[in-house]
């Protein structure tokens, strides 16, 4: 069964610093990978996704992520963060098992706090 | 504007009471989902529906029930059998239930027990 581990529950950084939010997954088959962002008391918004092709994926708001199959990782990065990036970030995975039911499994989330 | 609406934003439940959370989408999506979010737990799947008049249990369906009588609506009932209902509930939809499809989320309903 698939699982997702977000290694850091909280990441504090200063404004304009780079940030990396780590995500590792476990699966016996190929996967599709997603990063979602959640602002306080709101729903989730898709940042980016990896389905196939180039392992470097660019998303909205200047975020990017790199799929590393050998390390089963999909870390999220931004070279320079803003105060407005303060939010909770969720990594999620769907197994490409060839069946008709696709279940999105979420990590427990990483709270990114950007300080002035 | 197309999107997903959830109501109410906050809901209070008394002991032994059933309450229903509304989820409506005008995206013409076939698939809809209900998730429960607890602090530090991420999101867990309660129920999902791939098409009208069909739904399946997710990982934590006990104490919950759903219906899918219309394509655009997927209400969730939290029954009195759910002993710990306090959580943030998120509804989502996708064009189909295929793995390539992005799930789009509503703004959520926060359920509190009195």
């Amino acid at each position: 069964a698939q699982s997702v581990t977000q290694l850091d529950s909280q990441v504090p950084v200063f404004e304009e610093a780079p940030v990396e939010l780590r995500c590792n997954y476990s699966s016996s088959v190929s996967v599709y990978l997603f990063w979602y962002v959640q602002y306080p008391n709101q729903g989730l918004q898709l940042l980016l996704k990896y389905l196939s092709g180039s392992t470097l994926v660019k998303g909205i708001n200047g975020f990017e992520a790199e799929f590393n199959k050998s390390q089963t990782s999909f870390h999220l990065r931004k070279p320079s963060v803003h105060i407005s990036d303060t939010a909770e970030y969720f990594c999620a995975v769907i197994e490409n098992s060839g069946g008709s039911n696709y279940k999105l499994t979420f990590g427990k989330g990483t709270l990114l706090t950007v300080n002035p | 504007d197309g999107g997903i609406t959830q109501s109410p934003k906050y809901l209070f439940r008394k002991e032994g009471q059933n309450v229903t959370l509304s989820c409506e989408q005008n995206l013409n999506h076939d698939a809809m989902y209900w998730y429960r979010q607890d602090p530090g737990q991420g999101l867990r799947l309660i129920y999902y529906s791939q098409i009208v008049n069909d739904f399946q249990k997710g990982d934590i369906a006990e104490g919950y029930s759903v219906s899918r009588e219309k394509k655009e609506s997927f209400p969730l009932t939290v029954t009195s059998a759910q002993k710990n209902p306090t959580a943030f509930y998120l509804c989502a939809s996708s064009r189909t239930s295929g793995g390539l499809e992005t799930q789009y989320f509503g703004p959520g309903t926060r359920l509190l027990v009195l």
Side-chain angles (χ1 to χ4, degrees):
Chain A
Q2 65 205 37
S3 66
V4 179
T5 301
Q6 292 185 241
L7 296 161
D8 305 298
S9 60
Q10 298 186 48
V11 173
V13 296
F14 287 108
E15 192 173 18
E16 298 183 5
V19 71
E20 177 179 83
L21 306 183
R22 297 180 292 170
C23 173
N24 287 88
Y25 67 91
S26 173
S27 174
S28 58
V29 300
S30 64
V31 296
Y32 304 126
L33 295 154
F34 305 78
W35 274 100
Y36 283 86
V37 60
Q38 184 180 34
Y39 299 102
N41 294 310
Q42 294 186 26
L44 275 67
Q45 179 183 4
L46 182 70
L47 271 179
L48 48 80
K49 61 184 177 182
Y50 171 78
L51 303 179
S52 65
S54 173
T55 57
L56 183 62
V57 181
K58 293 188 182 298
I60 62 171
N61 301 340
F63 284 92
E64 64 181 31
E66 185 157 19
F67 170 55
N68 188 319
K69 186 175 181 180
S70 63
Q71 297 186 4
T72 60
S73 68
F74 191 54
H75 301 332
L76 182 70
R77 301 186 183 101
K78 186 170 182 178
S80 175
V81 294
H82 303 289
I83 298 286
S84 60
D85 291 322
T86 295
E88 190 152 25
Y89 292 78
F90 292 94
C91 182
V93 61
I94 288 179
E95 284 188 330
N96 181 16
S97 59
S100 60
N101 295 330
Y102 292 90
K103 177 187 165 188
L104 190 60
T105 299
F106 286 87
K108 294 186 176 182
T110 296
L111 178 61
L112 174 64
T113 303
V114 181
N115 298 300
Chain B
D1 288 340
I4 303 174
T5 57
Q6 292 186 241
S7 62
K9 188 172 182 178
Y10 295 95
L11 185 58
F12 298 91
R13 193 191 92 164
K14 295 180 181 179
E15 292 289 338
Q17 186 182 41
N18 292 355
V19 292
T20 297
L21 285 62
S22 169
C23 177
E24 303 277 332
Q25 53 98 0
N26 61 3
L27 299 168
N28 200 34
H29 285 173
D30 282 328
M32 297 186 75
Y33 314 80
W34 274 106
Y35 292 91
R36 171 179 170 140
Q37 185 179 20
D38 297 281
Q41 293 290 322
L43 279 72
R44 293 180 289 170
L45 183 65
I46 304 173
Y47 269 98
Y48 65 101
S49 169
Q50 294 178 280
I51 201 165
V52 175
N53 294 320
D54 177 73
F55 50 83
Q56 286 87 38
K57 293 181 179 180
D59 297 323
I60 55 166
E62 186 175 351
Y64 300 97
S65 66
V66 294
S67 63
R68 186 85 188 278
E69 297 176 1
K70 298 186 295 183
K71 186 175 185 177
E72 59 271 23
S73 178
F74 191 41
L76 173 74
T77 297
V78 184
T79 74
S80 57
Q82 172 50 243
K83 298 306 179 187
N84 184 24
T86 297
F88 192 47
Y89 291 87
L90 289 160
C91 178
S93 73
S94 60
R95 193 174 63 89
T96 70
S97 61
L100 295 175
E101 299 293 339
T102 297
Q103 290 187 22
Y104 296 89
F105 285 79
T109 292
R110 189 166 298 279
L111 177 60
L112 300 166
V113 177
L114 295 177

